[in-house]
Amino acid sequence: MLQYSLISELERKVILFNYEKRGQKHSLLSFARLSDDDRSFISTEGDFILWEMGKRKLLADEVISHSWIIMSKQNMPLVLQFQENNYLKVGSLFEETIFDGVWSLDRGILRICFRYEQRSYDIDIIANNKRCIHSALQITDDHNVELLKVIPLCNAKYGTSLID
């Protein structure tokens, strides 16, 4: 099985695009690495370009200006607190336990890594242009893929209100 840590930024975006726009929610990592021809086709495909235009880069000030809630359909919502030194505090919305992690910005994509309940999580958060509910791709233990939604807890100067 292909490991998440081996795939490129474009391949990660393609996984998120397929998940959000094409309804491909199963076996997301069972594909082979993209060939150069595949990369060229996907990066020039109209649907992908329109999807990517609806995204924007996150800024460091935006990331650390407030806490965030991250959730999926299956998992318990977590609260993320980003610190200026790329340190991350992760806690359950329903429990008092706090776990440590790290974050970085890579060309506007927020990448976070942490361990929670004996599992390793790698998450790429891509901001939406028109609202503050962002999309994220979560890889658990370098194999399992899941789509997440990420919401800032208070509306700073970035984006619009949580409810459109």
Side-chain angles (χ1 to χ4, degrees), residues 134-152:
H134 306 303
S135 301
L137 187 67
Q138 173 181 281
I139 309 299
T140 307
D141 295 330
D142 212 20
H143 291 94
N144 302 318
V145 179
E146 190 169 4
L147 177 70
L148 305 175
K149 293 297 179 179
V150 185
I151 305 167

Side-chain angles (χ1 to χ4, degrees), residues 110-127:
L110 179 57
R111 300 190 190 282
I112 62 176
C113 301
F114 61 91
R115 290 194 57 78
Y116 180 75
E117 294 183 350
Q118 311 299 322
R119 304 198 84 165
S120 174
Y121 294 90
D122 291 295
I123 300 173
D124 291 347
I125 300 171
I126 300 176

Side-chain angles (χ1 to χ4, degrees), residues 8-42:
S8 70
E9 176 185 337
L10 175 61
E11 290 165 327
R12 294 173 197 186
K13 283 184 175 180
V14 168
I15 292 170
L16 187 56
F17 166 72
N18 282 330
Y19 207 116
E20 284 190 333
K21 294 297 179 187
R22 294 187 172 168
Q24 296 177 1
K25 295 176 173 46
H26 303 290
S27 304
L28 293 175
L29 287 181
S30 62
F31 63 89
R33 303 253 349 238
L34 295 175
S35 69
D36 289 338
D37 289 341
D38 291 336
R39 278 191 196 94
S40 177
F41 172 76
I42 289 168

Side-chain angles (χ1 to χ4, degrees), residues 43-150:
S43 63
T44 59
E45 182 186 277
D47 287 344
F48 181 78
I49 292 170
L50 290 173
W51 173 83
E52 198 169 34
M53 286 174 53
K55 305 300 180 185
R56 66 176 175 83
K57 294 180 179 185
L58 284 165
L59 305 172
D61 289 343
E62 176 182 12
V63 172
I64 61 175
S65 66
H66 46 263
S67 296
W68 301 60
I69 291 180
I70 191 165
M71 65 189 82
S72 71
K73 291 180 181 178
Q74 291 80 16
N75 292 330
M76 184 182 317
L78 299 175
V79 177
L80 307 175
Q81 285 186 307
F82 298 94
Q83 310 293 312
E84 288 184 25
N85 59 358
N86 295 86
Y87 176 73
L88 171 66
K89 292 182 182 180
V90 180
S92 166
L93 190 59
F94 298 102
E95 298 172 5
E96 299 285 330
T97 309
I98 302 292
F99 298 89
D100 296 329
V102 295
W103 68 274
S104 65
L105 278 174
D106 183 11
R107 289 176 254 157
I109 296 174
L110 179 57
R111 300 190 190 282
I112 62 176
C113 301
F114 61 91
R115 290 194 57 78
Y116 180 75
E117 294 183 350
Q118 311 299 322
R119 304 198 84 165
S120 174
Y121 294 90
D122 291 295
I123 300 173
D124 291 347
I125 300 171
I126 300 176
N128 287 310
N129 264 332
K130 296 183 179 172
R131 59 188 204 154
C132 286
I133 300 173
H134 306 303
S135 301
L137 187 67
Q138 173 181 281
I139 309 299
T140 307
D141 295 330
D142 212 20
H143 291 94
N144 302 318
V145 179
E146 190 169 4
L147 177 70
L148 305 175
K149 293 297 179 179
V150 185

